[in-house]
Amino acid sequence: MSAATATSVRRGRRRRLDSSLIVGIALVGVIIIGAILVASVGRNFFSAGNIRDILTGMSVLGFVAIGQTLVILCASLDLSVPYVISLSSLIAADLMAGNPANIPIAVLAVLVVSALIGLANGLIVTKLKVNGFIATLGTGLIIKGYLDTNYKGTSGEVPWEFQLIGATGIGPVPVSTLIMLVVALAGAFFLARTRTGNHMFAVGGDEQVARLSGIRTARPVIIAHVLCSITAALAGLLLASRLGVGSPTVGVQGGYDLLSIAAVVLGGTLLMGGRGSIWGTIGGVAIFAVVDNVMSVMQVNPFLKDVVRGVVIVAAVAVYTSRSLDRRRPRFGTGAAEPDRPDDRSAPPPAAAREKEASA
Amino acid sequence: MSAVTTPQPTAGERAAGFARTLVSPRGAVFLLLIVLLVAITVLNPSFAEPSQFIRFVQRVAPVAIVAIGQYFVIVGGEFDLSMGSVVTAQVVIAGNLIGQDESKSIPVLLFMLAFGAFIGLVNGLIVTLLKVPSFIATLGMMLALLGATLYWTGGAATGNPADGFREIGRGGIRDLPVIEILPWSVVVLVVVLLLAVWFARRPFGRTIIALGDNPTTVRYSGARSWWVKTSTFMISSLSATVAGVLLVGYAGVHPSVGRGYEFTAITAVVLGGVVLGGGRGWVVAAAAGAFALEALFTLLNFAGVPSTYRDAVQGAIIILAVAYAATTVRARRKGRALEAPAPEISPTPSSEPASQTSPAPAEEQDAAASARPAPIPSTQRADNETKGGS
């Protein structure tokens, strides 16, 4: 065990890769393998149509995963996103009712409702001290109960003008993906440049240290939950624009709760909080999209797709985890203080140090 | 009342522990269970009849067994999200491999147990050797196993196991005096619960709890933590297998039979006062959490609440239960840790760290006590909190 650790320390010293870079390398690897596989069945992976398919596949999960990144950075979780997605698609479609004039009010209403849900999540987590897993599982179930009771099927109608958002593109790049990337940019800026964003790293890294450093620890967590619900609502709006109606099951069918968490972890964000990046998450989402696309092109059995997805998630995170454990050790000199640490939750390093490194 | 007269395995033990635990947050789940059972009985007096009540226990048995398995994983500081898929896979295996040939029952049953243990072993090794967070590892297993099962059956599970095999889930010892029938599921549940209680009291079981509380100290004290952690995943997969055997008799073969079992199990365990992140909790309370959850559904049924509201009420209840336990435990712990004479201080959010936001055990449990970064635990606290537990 200790011998293995020693080699890993050495390897960690030799190559210190930024987490987003590792995700990027993984993405390039997946793309190369995918392109070869696609070429083997006589199709072109890099055709405009295929690239558009991949980018379209990224957009919805991308929105959700951006918000989920913020929440996971704060060492919480959000399992309520699929229900927020369904609810926003329904609210949007119902309020629009086929009339383009209603678009602004519908979008506003969706954002307000989702922000309130996120606020509730954040308050339950911080003030009632309920674990984020349970708190958002609970609020998700509450929303599910509301949806199941009040909606029997699809509802509302989305006007053509709003459907254009999901349907048009600039060249091979769909507008929805561009909006998602803009949101990602805003999120990355928020984390790197604003005070609250930096506080999120601090609180997620070590809450006590953050508090003793004079940070109000509740506020970043609440804001992260609010932003996460809002990005989930954006995903719901996008799905409504694609489907043309609101659907009470669209979020659950996509499995966005667990898949977004998987994408975030795939993107190099620590599930325990305090370390990670938006761009890594986007890379994780892109890996998912490419894998899905390759399987669709090769007409893999839909049930086998789930098998491949599961294996890819575990394998990618396994490769990544060994790296990220290495990467942290040089901060502690020779690592003599903690020579062997299989479970890195046991000794979180000072939040300030992580904050610096993670936001770099 | 009915809870006390339940032919539960540990009846004597539970009765003795009742007064002790009811006042503590850990006993809140028993209080909740009693309130729910009384409420059901008020709405529907026939529920209290022994024959009706034993049917209720029979219905809860698979959920309770899954919750017991999940307890060991959670108290060891991890999650197992693959349980629902394991249940589905085992149900489908039983349906397809046994068929109408009753002589295959025993070999296939052994195969299912071996398969369950193998799934748990894979989960555990991915978590311990590859250092993948258990949330992700078991999520991958959940997707892969369900996908493989559906691929094998072509999406529509067919075939029923022989009646002799299904008898385990739906049959029982008939013509008994008071309860008319003692379903095999109840017997299995009792055996599993007794085994779990016994196991949790063994040094190995205590090591699991210690591992959830503080992995560093466990490693320093010389335990093979990788094997301890792997074994918790094997226990949970095996319990999902047993639940699958019961469900195939009770509910038949269906590809969605295990759907959502992992979250139900986690909910039940958390409702039982077990702390996510590990190190704290009692296995009997986890089983009681499953009973409370099912009692809640039964109550909503009898109360004429539309079934669509079940989820909403479930969500509200688990938030409230965990919030109650979290705030009370924290208040007590704060008093103890600081050696302050007033243990009943209610936490004031502005001056307190929001400790429950993190699933990390070390942070969570030491939050109120001190800001020391080194995760060496206070032995006193560990003793006090897990003593009655197991």
Side-chain angles (χ1 to χ4, degrees):
Chain A
M1 187 87 190
S2 55
T5 316
T7 49
S8 69
V9 167
R10 249 176 279 134
R11 198 178 61 199
R13 285 239 186 89
R14 203 164 50 227
R15 296 192 249 162
R16 290 183 56 193
L17 297 177
D18 180 51
S19 70
S20 305
L21 195 60
I22 299 176
V23 178
I25 294 171
L27 177 59
V28 170
V30 169
I31 288 177
I32 292 173
I33 297 171
I36 294 171
L37 285 175
V38 170
S40 72
V41 294
R43 300 275 293 274
N44 182 7
F45 182 82
F46 297 103
S47 70
N50 204 39
I51 288 181
R52 181 162 57 235
D53 282 352
I54 293 174
L55 291 175
T56 309
M58 278 179 67
S59 52
V60 175
L61 186 58
F63 277 122
V64 184
I66 290 168
Q68 193 75 259
T69 310
L70 300 180
V71 173
I72 291 182
L73 274 179
C74 293
S76 186
L77 276 180
D78 195 342
L79 296 178
S80 66
V81 281
Y83 307 106
V84 175
I85 291 173
S86 305
L87 182 66
S88 3
S89 82
L90 284 165
I91 293 176
D94 277 348
L95 284 183
M96 285 178 195
N99 184 355
N102 291 338
I103 291 178
I105 185 82
V107 172
L108 191 69
V110 164
L111 293 183
V112 168
V113 168
S114 63
L116 286 178
I117 294 171
L119 185 67
N121 281 338
L123 288 176
I124 292 171
V125 168
T126 54
K127 303 299 177 193
L128 293 182
K129 321 270 185 230
V130 178
N131 188 302
F133 184 97
I134 294 297
T136 55
L137 187 63
T139 48
L141 286 173
I142 293 174
I143 302 170
K144 177 173 187 280
Y146 173 80
L147 291 175
D148 287 352
T149 312
N150 292 298
Y151 296 96
K152 299 291 169 247
T154 56
S155 164
E157 190 192 348
V158 176
W160 178 244
E161 285 78 358
F162 196 72
Q163 291 192 29
L164 280 178
I165 295 179
T168 54
I170 303 168
V173 184
V175 170
S176 54
T177 310
L178 283 180
I179 299 176
M180 188 272 285
L181 290 176
V182 168
V183 172
L185 194 65
F189 179 82
F190 172 73
L191 282 179
R193 291 275 175 263
T194 66
R195 186 187 301 176
T196 315
N198 284 325
H199 286 180
M200 282 182 186
F201 285 105
V203 172
D206 192 318
E207 190 167 13
Q208 301 163 51
V209 174
R211 187 172 57 90
L212 294 172
S213 312
I215 294 173
R216 288 168 197 261
T217 52
R219 198 182 290 169
V221 179
I222 295 174
I223 290 176
H225 273 287
V226 170
L227 291 177
C228 180
S229 291
I230 288 179
T231 56
L234 292 178
L237 285 173
L238 177 56
L239 282 170
S241 129
R242 286 219 187 117
L243 297 173
V245 289
S247 159
T249 56
V250 68
V252 182
Q253 276 167 359
Y256 291 112
D257 45 355
L258 297 176
L259 277 187
S260 66
I261 294 171
V264 169
V265 176
L266 209 55
T269 301
L270 276 191
L271 205 48
M272 295 310 157
R275 172 184 289 257
S277 74
I278 296 276
W279 297 118
T281 298
I282 299 296
V285 173
I287 292 176
F288 271 143
V290 170
V291 170
D292 271 1
N293 175 268
V294 170
M295 289 194 292
S296 312
V297 171
M298 300 189 67
Q299 296 178 332
V300 175
N301 178 296
F303 300 125
L304 270 189
K305 277 187 188 174
D306 269 344
V307 179
V308 175
R309 241 177 245 151
V311 172
V312 165
I313 292 174
V314 174
V317 175
V319 168
Y320 181 76
T321 335
S322 56
R323 283 245 160 248
S324 107
L325 285 179
D326 293 349
R327 220 162 55 78
R328 179 180 299 179
R329 199 148 280 124
R331 292 214 144 266
F332 299 92
T334 59
E338 278 149 330
D340 180 10
R341 201 172 47 184
D343 193 341
D344 58 282
R345 292 180 309 164
S346 56
R354 284 204 210 180
E355 182 183 334
K356 226 183 295 164
E357 187 168 323
S359 58
Chain B
M1 29 137 290
S2 37
V4 178
T5 55
T6 316
Q8 278 291 324
T10 49
E13 194 181 303
R14 266 174 89 165
F18 236 53
R20 190 157 39 89
T21 50
L22 270 187
V23 288
S24 77
R26 208 180 55 215
V29 63
F30 298 104
L31 200 61
L32 179 68
L33 181 57
I34 292 173
V35 168
L36 286 170
L37 291 178
V38 169
I40 296 172
T41 313
V42 168
L43 282 175
N44 184 358
S46 71
F47 181 79
E49 290 170 16
S51 61
Q52 287 291 315
F53 189 76
I54 204 78
R55 288 286 177 195
F56 169 73
V57 178
Q58 180 188 13
R59 203 165 58 242
V60 185
V63 186
I65 290 171
V66 170
I68 290 171
Q70 185 75 259
Y71 159 83
F72 284 103
V73 178
I74 288 186
V75 90
E78 306 286 347
F79 286 102
D80 189 353
L81 298 183
S82 67
M83 295 189 100
S85 293
V86 174
V87 170
T88 306
Q90 301 287 17
V91 164
V92 171
I93 287 176
N96 277 307
L97 291 191
I98 294 181
Q100 289 309 313
D101 187 357
E102 216 156 288
S103 62
K104 286 187 192 163
S105 294
I106 299 296
V108 172
L109 188 62
L110 291 178
F111 170 75
M112 287 164 70
L113 289 174
F115 182 71
F118 174 73
I119 296 291
L121 183 68
V122 172
N123 277 337
L125 291 182
I126 291 175
V127 170
T128 52
L129 295 189
L130 297 181
K131 313 220 192 304
V132 176
S134 59
F135 197 93
I136 298 298
T138 55
L139 169 64
M141 179 59 82
M142 164 185 166
L143 289 174
L145 192 57
L146 190 63
T149 308
L150 293 179
Y151 178 68
W152 181 39
T153 59
T158 50
N160 259 336
D163 281 346
F165 190 76
R166 296 193 65 174
E167 192 69 9
I168 304 174
R170 59 180 174 186
I173 305 170
R174 289 171 200 284
D175 300 326
L176 288 180
V178 182
I179 50 177
E180 290 174 22
I181 176 170
L182 180 63
W184 292 116
S185 336
V186 178
V187 178
V188 172
L189 171 63
V190 168
V191 170
V192 168
L193 188 59
L194 281 178
L195 271 178
V197 170
W198 174 78
F199 185 72
R201 281 166 187 263
R202 304 280 306 154
F204 196 84
R206 290 179 175 277
T207 313
I208 294 175
I209 297 174
L211 191 66
D213 201 13
N214 194 322
T216 315
T217 37
V218 168
R219 204 175 51 250
Y220 284 161
S221 43
R224 283 185 300 169
S225 40
W226 72 272
W227 168 243
V228 174
K229 190 160 275 185
T230 304
S231 68
T232 62
F233 285 99
M234 293 174 70
I235 293 170
S236 81
S237 287
L238 282 174
S239 75
T241 304
V242 174
V245 171
L246 297 185
L247 276 173
V248 78
Y250 191 75
V253 177
H254 195 267
S256 70
V257 71
R259 181 168 297 167
Y261 253 75
E262 58 279 344
F263 284 118
T264 312
I266 294 174
T267 307
V269 169
V270 169
L271 211 53
V274 181
V275 177
L276 284 186
R280 200 147 279 126
W282 187 23
V283 62
V284 179
F291 274 88
L293 206 55
E294 280 299 318
L296 179 67
F297 292 153
T298 311
L299 176 66
L300 296 178
N301 232 351
F302 282 139
V305 175
S307 63
T308 48
Y309 274 121
R310 267 174 55 150
D311 293 316
V313 175
Q314 182 190 353
I317 292 277
I318 60 172
I319 291 178
L320 289 177
V322 176
Y324 168 75
T327 44
T328 322
V329 169
R330 282 175 41 74
R332 282 194 338 168
R333 185 161 315 129
K334 189 183 183 192
R336 183 181 300 150
L338 298 178
E339 315 253 336
E344 290 303 323
I345 307 165
S346 68
T348 47
S350 59
S351 65
E352 294 237 358
S355 75
Q356 294 287 340
T357 53
S358 156
E363 292 173 14
E364 188 171 292
Q365 286 142 14
D366 292 338
S370 73
R372 58 174 185 269
I376 304 304
S378 87
T379 334
Q380 163 209 18
R381 169 180 53 96
D383 282 353
N384 285 339
E385 289 301 321
T386 49
K387 168 190 62 184
S390 32

